[in-house]
Amino acid sequence: HEPFSDEMILRFAYCSPGTTKFNQKTSWKVMKKFDRKFLGLKASDIEDQLLSKTLFPIPDLKTLEGGYSMFYMRPSRYFPNQTSTTEI
């Protein structure tokens, strides 16, 4: 694997699990198990799913750690023959 950039290391450290940010041990545990295919994920990559409201953010629903927005996938709007699950 290619090493993480300094920016990514800082992001992992800031978003480390637990109440203490920049925790080296918890950050490292997440970094070792993290699926790198999600590192470059952008909203523009899932634009079609957002526009069709297959995926949409749930207002005021945030993660416990970090306060990040949560997305929901509406199964009735997902058609596997049109969009692969890897794209979603």
Side-chain angles (χ1 to χ4, degrees):
H1 288 284
E2 186 176 318
F4 289 109
S5 68
D6 289 345
E7 180 184 70
M8 272 296 141
I9 293 171
L10 185 60
R11 185 176 293 175
F12 277 110
Y14 177 75
C15 298
S16 59
T19 57
T20 306
K21 298 300 173 203
F22 298 97
N23 182 314
Q24 179 184 358
K25 287 182 181 181
T26 58
S27 298
W28 180 241
K29 282 174 81 173
V30 172
M31 288 171 69
K32 287 192 303 186
K33 295 179 181 179
F34 195 78
D35 191 341
R36 291 174 177 256
K37 71 180 177 184
F38 297 115
L39 285 178
L41 185 63
K42 303 177 292 264
S44 60
D45 296 336
I46 55 172
E47 181 177 15
D48 291 339
Q49 290 81 19
L50 293 170
L51 291 173
S52 67
K53 296 188 180 174
T54 303
L55 291 175
F56 57 91
I58 300 174
D60 301 323
L61 182 61
K62 307 283 182 186
T63 60
L64 291 175
E65 295 180 5
Y68 299 102
S69 296
M70 299 290 292
F71 277 80
Y72 175 75
M73 179 181 164
R74 180 165 291 168
S76 63
R77 293 190 178 166
Y78 172 64
F79 302 99
N81 58 343
Q82 294 175 4
T83 307
S84 70
T85 53
T86 55
E87 287 182 48
I88 294 194

